[in-house]
Amino acid sequence: NALNIGSNVGINSSSGTGSGTGNIYIQNTIAANNSTSTVLSFNATGGIIISSGVNMTAGTAPLSVLMTAGENIPGTGIGTIAFQGNNTITTHGGNITLSGNANNNNVAPAPAVAGQNGTAGLAGVQLIGTTFNAGSGTISITGTGQTGGVGGAAANTGGAGGDGIIATGNTSMTA
């Protein structure tokens, strides 16, 4: 409701001292009915995971969508922004800004057991079949991949480092 009346909305998470990882899970479509320029921001110590089929759409005025995962936020979370497929963000002139740092605090995957190769690192931003339409707004995406895991004793290789940005499927961007 806050977006609908023109209020900016920020959702923040942190890993804290408990067992939480500081992740944000977006599992439902967000359809703003904003008539004034509005900002929707997500800031996570860990990752931001957008479920398959979840969309974000502006009303009649620009809606800027900002996502920051694991970057410049203290914590030990892995800051991947992962669009899991069939996602669309339409901002009617608002900006789309994504910044995912999967190498936050240099946390690599756990070392492999003896005889196994290391695990590959995660991407900073993963886009699977994602469509961004910013109209007259801008689209900015930055990502830092996670360091690969160490191979176990007698293993052939360590894990490959994660890509900064991965775009697969029918991914498109219009600004």
Side-chain angles (χ1 to χ4, degrees), residues 33-46:
N33 191 21
N34 59 310
S35 58
T36 61
S37 187
T38 309
V39 176
L40 174 61
S41 64
F42 301 91
N43 297 293
T45 301

Side-chain angles (χ1 to χ4, degrees), residues 27-107:
Q27 299 176 324
N28 296 301
T29 291
I30 298 170
N33 191 21
N34 59 310
S35 58
T36 61
S37 187
T38 309
V39 176
L40 174 61
S41 64
F42 301 91
N43 297 293
T45 301
I48 300 172
I49 298 88
I50 302 91
S51 295
S52 180
V54 169
N55 302 312
M56 297 177 197
T57 307
T60 57
L63 172 68
S64 290
V65 177
L66 315 173
M67 295 184 184
T68 303
E71 190 163 24
N72 298 323
I73 303 171
T76 58
I78 305 303
T80 295
I81 298 174
F83 287 84
Q84 297 185 323
N86 256 352
N87 306 106
T88 300
I89 296 179
T90 303
T91 66
H92 294 292
N95 300 326
I96 300 170
T97 305
L98 309 177
S99 180
N101 182 4
N103 207 35
N104 189 23
N105 291 326
N106 297 310
V107 177

